Amino acid sequence: MAPLALLRVARPPFFLRRRFSISFYSTAPFVLPSLERGDVFLYIHFCGFPNRSAESALESLPEERRPVVFEDCVHALFTRGTGRLGDFVLYSFRKFLPVPDGGLLLSREPLDDILSPPLERFISFKTAGLLSGSRRLLEEGEDALDADKEARDPSVMGALLLDRLPWTHIPEARRRNYAFLAKRLRLPPLDDDTVPLGAPLRIFAGKAELERRLRASGFEPPLSWDAPPRRSLGRSRQARRFAVRRTDGGAGACAARRRMRQVEIMTQHIFQRTEKKQGV
């Protein structure tokens, strides 16, 4: 079982090839599918916002119906109170820290600790893309990573940076930057535990143009799902409507003001086009 919106823009065939039967849970309102022991339940703390609805539903299940739980904390490295319920818990360091690779898998059961060597093709593209600002190189690196099926050791550079980089300032900086954006975009405030990966926005027109203008100003969105090719309109709609605003160290007040101006210009542009179509 997995979140409907996310797996619709992800890759269900990966699971289907392994003879999984996939069901989805909805999020608005939250509805948990029927679960039995032996099922696998995957849930995510999207953009670092704790998925308390999924956790409450899981905690209400009797023990004899508890599934195997995969808890995706990739977006929630610093969000307190996450990682409690998963039999397997996933984290990503590179989503929050300036490292080219590296992640963490926690398990309630012993795991095989034999790992393959680092994926040098991914590291090379990722490093070159970060240094040059080339989105093409970054995308080629991500494609190489997506195609890889191995569990690997972190690169030497990734391990070195992870060991030496300061990080204790990051949670409060992200919360402060989110608050700056939330005030101007009328987003809900954070609770005390949340450290966001970014500020998720659901927009109904102009996502591609908004992201293009942000990139032209030097701001790469932390997440950007393009609508998958050869999918029906229903399956592509979620990807076309989600845009995520940065809240990391590159989102200081000066930088955030520049991005806010891009959003204001884009919003005005969308409204003007809508009004013309409606004859207002």
Side-chain angles (χ1 to χ4, degrees):
M1 284 69 177
L4 176 61
L6 296 183
L7 274 189
R8 272 187 171 174
V9 298
R11 298 183 177 182
F14 177 87
F15 299 96
L16 296 176
R17 285 197 298 269
R18 287 155 179 79
R19 299 184 179 179
F20 278 75
S21 176
I22 298 177
S23 300
F24 300 102
Y25 67 79
S26 62
T27 56
F30 185 88
V31 179
L32 193 68
S34 177
L35 292 170
E36 302 293 339
R37 182 169 289 278
D39 289 341
V40 176
F41 182 76
L42 165 67
Y43 75 102
I44 184 173
H45 302 288
F46 183 62
C47 272
F49 293 82
N51 193 340
R52 302 304 186 205
S53 297
E55 292 177 336
S56 296
L58 285 172
E59 290 176 321
S60 70
L61 290 175
E63 185 61 28
E64 62 270 16
R65 289 185 53 205
R66 190 183 192 280
V68 177
V69 178
F70 281 78
E71 186 174 353
D72 187 342
C73 295
V74 166
H75 296 179
L77 181 63
F78 295 117
T79 294
R80 293 192 299 269
T82 58
R84 299 181 301 111
L85 298 182
D87 297 296
F88 302 93
V89 183
L90 304 167
Y91 293 93
S92 173
F93 300 134
R94 68 192 187 98
K95 290 286 192 298
F96 287 85
L97 304 171
V99 296
D101 63 340
L104 177 66
L105 170 62
L106 302 180
S107 172
R108 298 184 189 274
E109 302 293 333
L111 294 174
D112 184 354
D113 60 356
I114 299 176
L115 300 176
S116 300
L119 184 62
E120 294 299 335
R121 177 178 172 81
F122 164 71
I123 300 301
S124 297
F125 278 121
K126 183 74 173 181
T127 304
L130 290 172
L131 291 174
S132 65
S134 169
R135 190 184 181 208
R136 180 186 62 81
L137 292 175
L138 291 172
E139 288 177 342
E140 289 194 36
E142 294 300 322
D143 288 344
L145 186 63
D146 287 345
D148 186 52
K149 302 298 188 295
E150 299 293 327
R152 297 182 179 273
D153 273 324
S155 65
V156 174
M157 179 59 72
L160 179 67
L161 290 172
L162 189 63
D163 185 53
R164 298 189 180 186
L165 284 172
W167 60 267
T168 54
H169 65 288
I170 291 176
E172 184 54 37
R174 283 183 173 270
R175 288 177 56 84
R176 186 170 58 250
N177 293 333
Y178 177 91
F180 180 91
L181 293 173
K183 181 178 179 180
R184 289 153 181 81
L185 294 177
R186 300 180 182 178
L187 302 176
L190 298 175
D191 64 30
D192 291 340
D193 296 327
T194 301
V195 177
L197 172 68
L201 305 174
R202 191 180 187 192
I203 55 181
F204 291 89
K207 173 197 168 182
E209 178 63 13
L210 172 59
E211 290 189 344
R212 185 192 69 78
R213 294 190 183 196
L214 290 172
R215 291 187 177 107
S217 298
F219 304 110
E220 179 68 24
L223 293 175
S224 179
W225 287 314
D226 295 324
R230 299 183 300 278
R231 298 279 182 91
S232 67
L233 177 63
R235 291 183 177 270
S236 300
R237 187 179 298 120
Q238 297 292 343
R240 290 203 301 268
R241 288 180 175 177
F242 269 115
V244 180
R245 304 293 309 285
R246 288 175 58 176
T247 58
D248 62 358
C254 181
R257 288 190 187 96
R258 289 169 56 195
R259 287 202 302 280
M260 278 301 307
R261 181 57 181 158
Q262 290 291 332
V263 172
E264 290 168 359
I265 293 172
M266 190 61 211
T267 303
Q268 291 171 5
H269 178 64
I270 292 170
F271 286 161
Q272 288 168 0
R273 287 196 310 176
T274 304
E275 289 171 355
K276 286 179 180 179
K277 287 182 179 180
Q278 295 175 346
V280 177

